[in-house]
Coordinates of all heavy atoms in Angstrom, one line a residue:
E15 N 116.0 75.5 96.4 CA 115.5 75.1 95.1 C 114.4 76.1 94.7 O 113.4 76.3 95.4 CB 115.0 73.7 95.0 CG 114.3 73.3 93.7 CD 113.7 71.9 93.8 OE1 114.0 71.2 94.7 OE2 113.0 71.6 92.9
T16 N 114.5 76.7 93.5 CA 113.5 77.6 93.0 C 112.5 76.8 92.2 O 112.8 76.0 91.3 CB 114.1 78.7 92.1 OG1 115.0 79.4 92.9 CG2 113.0 79.6 91.6
L17 N 111.2 76.9 92.5 CA 110.2 76.1 91.9 C 109.7 76.7 90.5 O 109.3 76.0 89.6 CB 109.0 75.9 92.8 CG 109.3 75.2 94.1 CD1 108.0 75.1 94.9 CD2 109.9 73.8 93.8
G18 N 109.6 78.0 90.4 CA 109.2 78.6 89.2 C 107.7 78.9 89.2 O 106.9 78.3 90.0
D19 N 107.3 79.7 88.2 CA 105.9 80.1 88.2 C 104.9 79.0 87.8 O 103.7 79.1 88.1 CB 105.7 81.3 87.1 CG 106.3 82.6 87.6 OD1 106.6 82.7 88.8 OD2 106.6 83.4 86.8
R20 N 105.4 78.0 87.1 CA 104.5 76.9 86.6 C 104.7 75.6 87.3 O 104.2 74.6 86.8 CB 104.7 76.8 85.1 CG 104.2 78.0 84.4 CD 103.8 77.7 83.0 NE 103.0 78.8 82.4 CZ 102.5 78.7 81.3 NH1 102.6 77.6 80.6 NH2 101.8 79.7 80.8
H21 N 105.5 75.6 88.3 CA 105.6 74.4 89.1 C 104.3 74.0 89.8 O 103.5 74.9 90.1 CB 106.7 74.6 90.2 CG 107.1 73.3 90.9 ND1 106.3 72.8 91.9 CD2 108.1 72.5 90.7 CE1 106.9 71.7 92.4 NE2 107.9 71.5 91.6
R22 N 104.0 72.7 89.9 CA 102.7 72.3 90.5 C 102.5 72.9 91.8 O 101.4 73.3 92.1 CB 102.7 70.8 90.5 CG 101.4 70.2 91.0 CD 101.4 68.7 90.9 NE 100.2 68.2 91.4 CZ 99.9 67.0 91.7 NH1 100.9 66.1 91.5 NH2 98.8 66.6 92.2
D23 N 103.5 73.0 92.7 CA 103.3 73.6 94.0 C 103.0 75.1 93.9 O 102.2 75.6 94.7 CB 104.5 73.4 94.9 CG 104.7 71.9 95.3 OD1 103.8 71.1 95.1 OD2 105.9 71.6 95.7
T24 N 103.6 75.8 93.0 CA 103.3 77.2 92.8 C 101.9 77.4 92.4 O 101.2 78.3 92.9 CB 104.3 77.9 91.8 OG1 105.7 77.6 92.2 CG2 104.1 79.3 91.7
L25 N 101.5 76.6 91.4 CA 100.1 76.7 90.9 C 99.1 76.4 92.0 O 98.0 77.0 92.1 CB 99.9 75.8 89.7 CG 100.8 76.2 88.5 CD1 100.6 75.1 87.4 CD2 100.5 77.6 88.0
T26 N 99.4 75.4 92.9 CA 98.6 75.1 94.0 C 98.4 76.3 94.9 O 97.3 76.6 95.4 CB 99.1 73.9 94.7 OG1 99.0 72.7 93.9 CG2 98.2 73.6 96.0
S27 N 99.5 77.0 95.2 CA 99.5 78.2 96.0 C 98.7 79.3 95.4 O 97.9 79.9 96.1 CB 100.9 78.7 96.3 OG 101.7 77.8 97.0
I28 N 98.8 79.5 94.1 CA 98.0 80.5 93.4 C 96.5 80.1 93.6 O 95.6 81.0 93.9 CB 98.4 80.6 92.0 CG1 99.8 81.2 91.9 CG2 97.4 81.5 91.2 CD1 100.4 81.1 90.5
H29 N 96.2 78.9 93.3 CA 94.8 78.4 93.4 C 94.3 78.5 94.8 O 93.2 79.0 95.0 CB 94.8 76.9 92.9 CG 93.4 76.4 93.0 ND1 92.9 75.7 94.1 CD2 92.4 76.4 92.1 CE1 91.7 75.3 93.8 NE2 91.3 75.7 92.7
N30 N 95.1 78.2 95.8 CA 94.6 78.3 97.2 C 94.4 79.7 97.6 O 93.4 80.0 98.3 CB 95.6 77.6 98.1 CG 95.6 76.1 98.0 OD1 94.7 75.5 97.4 ND2 96.6 75.4 98.5
L31 N 95.2 80.6 97.2 CA 95.0 82.0 97.5 C 93.7 82.5 96.8 O 92.9 83.2 97.5 CB 96.1 82.9 97.0 CG 96.0 84.4 97.3 CD1 95.7 84.7 98.8 CD2 97.2 85.1 96.8
G32 N 93.4 82.1 95.6 CA 92.2 82.5 94.9 C 91.0 81.9 95.7 O 90.0 82.6 95.9
T33 N 91.1 80.7 96.1 CA 90.0 80.0 96.9 C 89.7 80.7 98.2 O 88.6 81.0 98.6 CB 90.3 78.5 97.1 OG1 90.5 77.9 95.8 CG2 89.2 77.8 97.8
L34 N 90.8 81.1 98.9 CA 90.7 81.9 100.1 C 90.0 83.2 99.9 O 89.0 83.5 100.7 CB 92.1 82.1 100.8 CG 92.0 83.0 102.0 CD1 92.5 82.2 103.2 CD2 92.8 84.2 101.8
L35 N 90.4 83.9 98.9 CA 89.7 85.2 98.6 C 88.2 85.0 98.2 O 87.4 85.8 98.6 CB 90.5 85.9 97.5 CG 91.9 86.4 97.8 CD1 92.6 86.9 96.6 CD2 91.8 87.5 98.9
Q36 N 88.0 83.9 97.5 CA 86.6 83.6 97.2 C 85.8 83.3 98.4 O 84.7 83.8 98.6 CB 86.5 82.4 96.3 CG 85.1 81.9 95.9 CD 85.1 80.7 95.0 OE1 86.1 80.2 94.6 NE2 83.9 80.3 94.6
N37 N 86.3 82.6 99.3 CA 85.7 82.2 100.6 C 85.4 83.5 101.5 O 84.5 83.5 102.2 CB 86.4 81.2 101.4 CG 86.4 79.8 100.7 OD1 85.5 79.5 99.9 ND2 87.3 79.0 101.0
K38 N 86.3 84.5 101.3 CA 86.2 85.7 102.1 C 85.1 86.6 101.4 O 84.8 87.7 101.9 CB 87.5 86.5 102.1 CG 88.5 85.8 103.1 CD 89.8 86.6 103.1 CE 89.7 88.0 103.5 NZ 90.9 88.7 103.6
G39 N 84.7 86.3 100.2 CA 83.8 87.1 99.5 C 84.4 88.1 98.5 O 83.7 88.9 97.9
D40 N 85.7 88.1 98.4 CA 86.4 89.0 97.5 C 86.5 88.4 96.1 O 87.6 88.0 95.7 CB 87.8 89.4 98.1 CG 88.4 90.6 97.5 OD1 87.8 91.1 96.4 OD2 89.3 91.2 98.1
L41 N 85.4 88.3 95.4 CA 85.3 87.5 94.2 C 86.1 88.2 93.1 O 86.7 87.5 92.2 CB 83.9 87.4 93.8 CG 83.0 86.7 94.8 CD1 81.6 86.5 94.3 CD2 83.6 85.3 95.2
D42 N 86.2 89.5 93.1 CA 86.9 90.2 92.0 C 88.4 90.0 92.1 O 89.1 90.0 91.1 CB 86.6 91.7 92.0 CG 85.2 92.0 91.6 OD1 84.6 91.2 90.8 OD2 84.6 93.1 92.0
K43 N 89.0 89.9 93.3 CA 90.4 89.5 93.4 C 90.7 88.1 93.2 O 91.7 87.7 92.8 CB 90.9 90.0 94.8 CG 91.0 91.5 94.9 CD 91.6 91.9 96.2 CE 91.7 93.4 96.4 NZ 92.2 93.8 97.7
A44 N 89.7 87.2 93.6 CA 89.9 85.8 93.4 C 89.9 85.3 92.0 O 90.6 84.4 91.6 CB 88.8 85.1 94.2
E45 N 89.0 85.9 91.2 CA 88.8 85.5 89.8 C 90.1 85.4 89.0 O 90.4 84.4 88.4 CB 87.8 86.3 89.1 CG 87.4 85.7 87.7 CD 86.2 86.3 87.0 OE1 85.5 87.2 87.7 OE2 86.0 86.0 85.9
P46 N 90.9 86.5 88.9 CA 92.1 86.4 88.1 C 93.1 85.3 88.6 O 93.8 84.7 87.8 CB 92.8 87.8 88.1 CG 92.0 88.5 89.2 CD 90.8 87.8 89.5
L47 N 93.1 85.1 89.9 CA 94.0 84.0 90.4 C 93.5 82.6 90.0 O 94.3 81.8 89.6 CB 94.1 84.1 91.9 CG 94.8 85.4 92.5 CD1 94.7 85.5 94.0 CD2 96.3 85.3 92.1
L48 N 92.2 82.4 90.1 CA 91.7 81.1 89.7 C 91.8 80.9 88.2 O 92.1 79.8 87.8 CB 90.2 81.0 90.2 CG 90.0 80.9 91.7 CD1 88.5 80.8 92.0 CD2 90.8 79.8 92.3
R49 N 91.7 81.9 87.4 CA 91.8 81.8 86.0 C 93.3 81.5 85.6 O 93.6 80.7 84.8 CB 91.4 83.1 85.3 CG 89.9 83.2 85.2 CD 89.4 84.4 84.4 NE 88.0 84.5 84.4 CZ 87.1 83.8 83.7 NH1 87.6 82.8 82.9 NH2 85.8 84.0 83.7
K50 N 94.2 82.2 86.3 CA 95.6 81.9 86.0 C 96.0 80.5 86.4 O 96.7 79.8 85.7 CB 96.5 82.9 86.8 CG 98.0 82.5 86.7 CD 98.9 83.6 87.0 CE 100.4 83.3 86.8 NZ 100.8 82.6 85.6
A51 N 95.6 80.0 87.6 CA 95.8 78.7 88.0 C 95.3 77.7 87.0 O 96.0 76.7 86.6 CB 95.3 78.4 89.4
L52 N 94.1 77.9 86.5 CA 93.4 77.0 85.6 C 94.2 77.0 84.3 O 94.6 75.9 83.7 CB 92.0 77.4 85.3 CG 91.3 76.6 84.2 CD1 91.3 75.1 84.4 CD2 89.9 77.1 84.1
E53 N 94.5 78.2 83.7 CA 95.2 78.3 82.5 C 96.6 77.6 82.5 O 97.0 76.8 81.7 CB 95.4 79.7 82.1 CG 96.2 79.9 80.8 CD 96.4 81.4 80.5 OE1 95.6 82.2 80.8 OE2 97.5 81.7 79.9
D54 N 97.3 77.8 83.6 CA 98.7 77.2 83.7 C 98.6 75.8 84.0 O 99.5 75.0 83.6 CB 99.5 78.0 84.8 CG 99.9 79.4 84.3 OD1 99.7 79.7 83.2 OD2 100.4 80.2 85.2
R55 N 97.6 75.3 84.8 CA 97.5 73.9 85.0 C 97.1 73.2 83.7 O 97.6 72.1 83.5 CB 96.4 73.6 86.1 CG 96.9 73.9 87.5 CD 95.8 73.7 88.5 NE 96.4 73.6 89.9 CZ 95.7 73.5 91.0 NH1 94.3 73.5 90.9 NH2 96.2 73.4 92.2
R56 N 96.3 73.8 82.9 CA 95.9 73.1 81.6 C 97.2 72.9 80.8 O 97.4 71.9 80.2 CB 94.9 74.0 80.9 CG 93.5 73.7 81.3 CD 92.5 74.5 80.4 NE 91.2 73.9 80.6 CZ 90.1 74.7 80.5 NH1 90.2 76.0 80.3 NH2 88.9 74.1 80.7
E57 N 98.0 74.0 80.8 CA 99.2 73.9 79.9 C 100.3 73.0 80.5 O 101.0 72.4 79.7 CB 99.8 75.4 79.8 CG 98.9 76.3 78.9 CD 99.4 77.7 78.8 OE1 100.6 77.9 79.1 OE2 98.7 78.5 78.3
T58 N 100.4 72.9 81.8 CA 101.5 72.1 82.3 C 101.1 70.7 82.7 O 101.9 69.8 82.7 CB 102.1 72.8 83.6 OG1 101.1 73.0 84.6 CG2 102.8 74.1 83.2
L59 N 99.8 70.5 83.2 CA 99.4 69.2 83.7 C 98.4 68.5 82.7 O 98.2 67.3 82.8 CB 98.7 69.4 85.0 CG 99.5 70.1 86.1 CD1 98.7 70.3 87.4 CD2 100.7 69.2 86.5
G60 N 97.8 69.3 81.8 CA 96.8 68.7 80.9 C 95.4 69.0 81.4 O 95.1 69.3 82.6
D61 N 94.4 68.8 80.5 CA 93.0 69.1 80.8 C 92.4 68.2 81.8 O 91.4 68.5 82.4 CB 92.2 69.1 79.5 CG 92.4 70.3 78.6 OD1 92.8 71.3 79.1 OD2 92.1 70.2 77.4
R62 N 92.9 66.9 81.9 CA 92.2 65.9 82.7 C 92.9 65.6 84.0 O 92.5 64.7 84.7 CB 91.9 64.7 81.9 CG 91.0 65.0 80.7 CD 90.2 63.8 80.3 NE 89.1 64.2 79.5 CZ 88.2 63.4 79.2 NH1 88.2 62.2 79.7 NH2 87.2 63.8 78.5
H63 N 93.9 66.4 84.3 CA 94.6 66.1 85.6 C 93.7 66.5 86.7 O 92.9 67.5 86.6 CB 95.9 67.0 85.6 CG 96.8 66.6 86.8 ND1 96.6 67.2 88.0 CD2 97.9 65.8 86.9 CE1 97.5 66.7 88.8 NE2 98.3 65.9 88.2
R64 N 93.8 65.8 87.8 CA 93.0 66.1 89.0 C 93.0 67.6 89.4 O 92.0 68.2 89.8 CB 93.5 65.2 90.2 CG 92.7 65.4 91.5 CD 93.4 64.5 92.6 NE 93.5 63.1 92.2 CZ 92.6 62.2 92.6 NH1 91.6 62.5 93.3 NH2 92.8 61.0 92.2
D65 N 94.2 68.2 89.4 CA 94.4 69.6 89.8 C 93.6 70.5 88.9 O 93.0 71.5 89.3 CB 95.8 70.0 90.0 CG 96.5 69.3 91.1 OD1 95.9 68.7 91.9 OD2 97.8 69.4 91.2
T66 N 93.8 70.2 87.6 CA 93.1 71.0 86.6 C 91.6 70.9 86.7 O 90.9 72.0 86.7 CB 93.5 70.5 85.1 OG1 94.9 70.6 85.0 CG2 92.9 71.4 84.1
L67 N 91.1 69.7 87.0 CA 89.6 69.6 87.2 C 89.1 70.3 88.4 O 88.1 70.9 88.4 CB 89.3 68.1 87.3 CG 89.6 67.3 86.0 CD1 89.3 65.8 86.3 CD2 88.8 67.8 84.8
T68 N 90.0 70.4 89.5 CA 89.6 71.1 90.6 C 89.6 72.6 90.3 O 88.7 73.3 90.7 CB 90.6 70.9 91.8 OG1 90.6 69.5 92.1 CG2 90.4 71.8 93.0
S69 N 90.5 73.1 89.5 CA 90.5 74.5 89.1 C 89.3 74.8 88.2 O 88.7 75.9 88.4 CB 91.8 74.8 88.3 OG 92.9 74.9 89.1
I70 N 88.9 73.9 87.3 CA 87.7 74.2 86.5 C 86.5 74.3 87.4 O 85.7 75.2 87.3 CB 87.5 73.0 85.5 CG1 88.6 73.1 84.5 CG2 86.1 73.1 84.8 CD1 88.7 71.8 83.6
H71 N 86.4 73.4 88.4 CA 85.2 73.4 89.3 C 85.2 74.6 90.1 O 84.2 75.3 90.3 CB 85.3 72.1 90.2 CG 84.3 72.2 91.3 ND1 84.5 72.7 92.5 CD2 83.0 71.7 91.3 CE1 83.4 72.6 93.2 NE2 82.5 72.0 92.5
N72 N 86.3 75.0 90.7 CA 86.4 76.2 91.6 C 86.1 77.5 90.8 O 85.5 78.4 91.3 CB 87.7 76.3 92.3 CG 87.7 75.2 93.4 OD1 86.7 74.6 93.7 ND2 88.9 75.0 94.0
L73 N 86.6 77.6 89.6 CA 86.2 78.8 88.8 C 84.7 78.8 88.5 O 84.1 79.8 88.5 CB 87.0 78.8 87.5 CG 86.8 80.0 86.6 CD1 87.0 81.3 87.3 CD2 87.6 79.9 85.3
G74 N 84.2 77.6 88.2 CA 82.7 77.6 88.0 C 81.9 78.0 89.2 O 80.9 78.7 89.1
T75 N 82.4 77.6 90.3 CA 81.7 78.0 91.6 C 81.8 79.5 91.8 O 80.9 80.1 92.2 CB 82.4 77.2 92.8 OG1 82.2 75.8 92.5 CG2 81.7 77.6 94.1
L76 N 83.0 80.0 91.5 CA 83.2 81.5 91.7 C 82.2 82.2 90.8 O 81.5 83.2 91.2 CB 84.6 81.9 91.4 CG 84.9 83.4 91.4 CD1 86.1 83.7 92.2 CD2 85.0 84.0 90.0
L77 N 82.1 81.8 89.5 CA 81.2 82.5 88.6 C 79.8 82.3 89.0 O 79.0 83.2 88.9 CB 81.4 81.9 87.2 CG 82.8 82.3 86.5 CD1 83.0 81.5 85.2 CD2 82.9 83.7 86.3
Q78 N 79.4 81.2 89.6 CA 78.1 81.0 90.1 C 77.9 81.9 91.3 O 76.8 82.6 91.3 CB 78.0 79.5 90.6 CG 76.6 79.2 91.3 CD 76.6 77.8 91.8 OE1 77.6 77.1 91.9 NE2 75.4 77.4 92.2
N79 N 78.8 82.1 92.1 CA 78.7 83.0 93.3 C 78.6 84.5 92.8 O 77.9 85.3 93.5 CB 79.9 82.9 94.2 CG 79.9 81.6 95.0 OD1 78.9 80.9 95.1 ND2 81.0 81.2 95.5
K80 N 79.2 84.8 91.6 CA 79.0 86.1 91.1 C 77.7 86.3 90.3 O 77.4 87.4 89.9 CB 80.2 86.4 90.1 CG 81.5 86.6 90.8 CD 82.6 86.9 89.8 CE 82.6 88.3 89.4 NZ 83.8 88.7 88.6
G81 N 77.0 85.3 90.2 CA 75.7 85.4 89.5 C 75.8 85.2 88.0 O 74.8 85.3 87.3
D82 N 77.0 84.8 87.5 CA 77.2 84.5 86.1 C 76.9 83.1 85.8 O 77.8 82.3 85.5 CB 78.6 85.0 85.7 CG 78.8 85.1 84.2 OD1 77.9 84.7 83.4 OD2 79.8 85.7 83.8
L83 N 75.7 82.7 85.8 CA 75.3 81.3 85.7 C 75.5 80.7 84.3 O 75.8 79.5 84.2 CB 73.8 81.1 86.1 CG 73.5 81.6 87.6 CD1 72.0 81.4 87.9 CD2 74.4 81.1 88.6
D84 N 75.4 81.5 83.3 CA 75.6 81.0 81.9 C 77.1 80.6 81.7 O 77.3 79.7 80.9 CB 75.2 82.1 80.9 CG 73.7 82.3 80.9 OD1 73.0 81.4 81.2 OD2 73.3 83.4 80.4
K85 N 78.0 81.3 82.4 CA 79.4 80.9 82.2 C 79.8 79.8 83.3 O 80.7 79.0 83.0 CB 80.3 82.1 82.4 CG 80.2 83.1 81.3 CD 81.2 84.2 81.4 CE 81.0 85.2 80.3 NZ 81.8 86.4 80.5
A86 N 79.1 79.8 84.4 CA 79.4 78.8 85.4 C 79.0 77.4 85.0 O 79.7 76.4 85.2 CB 78.7 79.2 86.7
E87 N 77.8 77.3 84.4 CA 77.3 75.9 84.2 C 78.2 75.0 83.3 O 78.4 73.9 83.6 CB 75.9 76.0 83.5 CG 75.2 74.7 83.3 CD 73.8 74.7 82.8 OE1 73.3 75.9 82.5 OE2 73.3 73.7 82.6
P88 N 78.7 75.5 82.2 CA 79.5 74.7 81.3 C 80.8 74.2 82.1 O 81.3 73.1 81.9 CB 79.8 75.5 80.1 CG 79.3 76.8 80.3 CD 78.4 76.8 81.5
L89 N 81.3 75.1 82.9 CA 82.5 74.7 83.7 C 82.2 73.6 84.7 O 83.0 72.6 84.8 CB 83.1 75.9 84.4 CG 83.8 77.0 83.5 CD1 84.1 78.2 84.3 CD2 85.0 76.4 82.8
L90 N 81.1 73.8 85.4 CA 80.7 72.8 86.4 C 80.4 71.5 85.7 O 80.7 70.4 86.2 CB 79.6 73.3 87.3 CG 80.0 74.5 88.1 CD1 78.8 75.1 88.8 CD2 81.0 74.1 89.2
R91 N 79.7 71.5 84.6 CA 79.4 70.3 83.9 C 80.6 69.6 83.4 O 80.8 68.4 83.5 CB 78.5 70.6 82.7 CG 77.0 70.9 83.1 CD 76.1 71.0 81.9 NE 74.8 71.3 82.2 CZ 73.9 70.5 82.7 NH1 74.2 69.2 82.8 NH2 72.7 70.9 83.0
K92 N 81.6 70.4 82.8 CA 82.9 69.8 82.4 C 83.6 69.1 83.5 O 84.1 68.0 83.4 CB 83.7 70.8 81.7 CG 85.1 70.3 81.2 CD 85.8 71.2 80.3 CE 87.1 70.7 79.8 NZ 87.1 69.3 79.4
A93 N 83.7 69.8 84.6 CA 84.4 69.3 85.8 C 83.8 67.9 86.2 O 84.5 66.9 86.4 CB 84.4 70.2 86.9
L94 N 82.5 67.9 86.2 CA 81.8 66.7 86.6 C 82.0 65.5 85.6 O 82.4 64.4 86.0 CB 80.3 66.9 86.8 CG 79.4 65.7 87.1 CD1 79.8 65.0 88.4 CD2 77.9 66.1 87.1
E95 N 81.8 65.8 84.3 CA 82.0 64.8 83.3 C 83.4 64.3 83.3 O 83.6 63.1 83.2 CB 81.6 65.4 81.9 CG 80.1 65.7 81.8 CD 79.7 66.5 80.6 OE1 80.6 66.7 79.7 OE2 78.6 67.0 80.5
D96 N 84.4 65.2 83.3 CA 85.8 64.7 83.2 C 86.2 64.0 84.4 O 87.0 63.0 84.4 CB 86.7 65.9 82.9 CG 86.5 66.5 81.5 OD1 85.8 65.9 80.7 OD2 87.2 67.5 81.2
R97 N 85.7 64.4 85.6 CA 86.0 63.6 86.8 C 85.4 62.2 86.8 O 86.1 61.3 87.1 CB 85.5 64.4 88.1 CG 86.3 65.5 88.5 CD 85.8 66.2 89.7 NE 86.7 67.1 90.3 CZ 86.4 68.1 91.1 NH1 85.2 68.2 91.5 NH2 87.3 68.9 91.6
R98 N 84.2 62.1 86.3 CA 83.6 60.8 86.1 C 84.4 59.9 85.2 O 84.6 58.7 85.4 CB 82.2 60.9 85.6 CG 81.2 61.3 86.7 CD 79.8 61.3 86.2 NE 78.8 61.4 87.3 CZ 77.6 61.9 87.1 NH1 77.2 62.3 85.9 NH2 76.8 62.1 88.2
E99 N 84.9 60.5 84.1 CA 85.6 59.7 83.1 C 87.0 59.4 83.5 O 87.5 58.3 83.2 CB 85.7 60.5 81.8 CG 84.3 60.6 81.0 CD 84.4 61.4 79.8 OE1 85.5 61.7 79.3 OE2 83.4 61.8 79.3
T100 N 87.7 60.3 84.2 CA 89.1 60.0 84.6 C 89.2 59.4 86.0 O 90.1 58.6 86.2 CB 89.9 61.3 84.5 OG1 89.4 62.3 85.4 CG2 89.9 61.8 83.1
L101 N 88.3 59.7 86.9 CA 88.5 59.3 88.3 C 87.4 58.2 88.7 O 87.6 57.6 89.7 CB 88.4 60.5 89.3 CG 89.3 61.7 89.0 CD1 89.0 62.8 89.9 CD2 90.8 61.2 89.1
G102 N 86.4 58.1 87.9 CA 85.4 57.1 88.2 C 84.2 57.8 88.9 O 84.3 58.9 89.4
D103 N 83.1 57.0 89.0 CA 81.9 57.5 89.7 C 82.1 57.6 91.2 O 82.3 57.1 92.0 CB 80.7 56.7 89.3 CG 80.2 57.2 87.9 OD1 80.4 58.3 87.6 OD2 79.6 56.3 87.3

């Protein structure tokens, strides 16, 4: 069975590779993967799906690690607020 580019499992693999690269310190290679996973998760799963919220959080963390705090903060705040609203405290 072919899963396709936007299948949930494919998006998880893209996200996981981005996270691995981030953990290795290769932030420039990680960022486009985390952005793609987030964009496609938003389109296929919705803004408040658990996987989408994880992508928002991890992109925020990557931007924080790159020193881009002005872009990181709203993402991290959104992930926190939406997780509280959808998943509970």
Side-chain angles (χ1 to χ4, degrees):
E15 174 184 349
T16 301
L17 299 179
D19 289 343
R20 292 203 167 187
H21 188 278
R22 186 175 176 192
D23 291 345
T24 304
L25 296 176
T26 297
S27 293
I28 292 167
H29 180 265
N30 289 346
L31 179 57
T33 301
L34 175 117
L35 292 169
Q36 179 179 2
N37 291 338
K38 286 178 62 177
D40 197 345
L41 305 181
D42 290 335
K43 287 185 181 174
E45 186 172 352
L47 293 170
L48 292 180
R49 287 188 182 280
K50 174 162 180 48
L52 173 56
E53 178 183 327
D54 290 351
R55 281 177 165 176
R56 277 186 164 144
E57 290 178 15
T58 60
L59 303 173
D61 283 340
R62 295 207 165 193
H63 189 278
R64 178 186 307 262
D65 292 351
T66 305
L67 298 176
T68 297
S69 285
I70 293 168
H71 175 266
N72 287 350
L73 180 58
T75 300
L76 177 132
L77 293 170
Q78 179 182 10
N79 291 340
K80 288 181 83 170
D82 196 347
L83 304 182
D84 290 337
K85 290 183 182 172
E87 183 177 0
L89 291 172
L90 293 173
R91 286 186 183 280
K92 178 167 180 47
L94 175 61
E95 290 168 12
D96 289 355
R97 280 180 169 163
R98 282 184 171 156
E99 289 177 15
T100 59
L101 305 175
D103 282 331

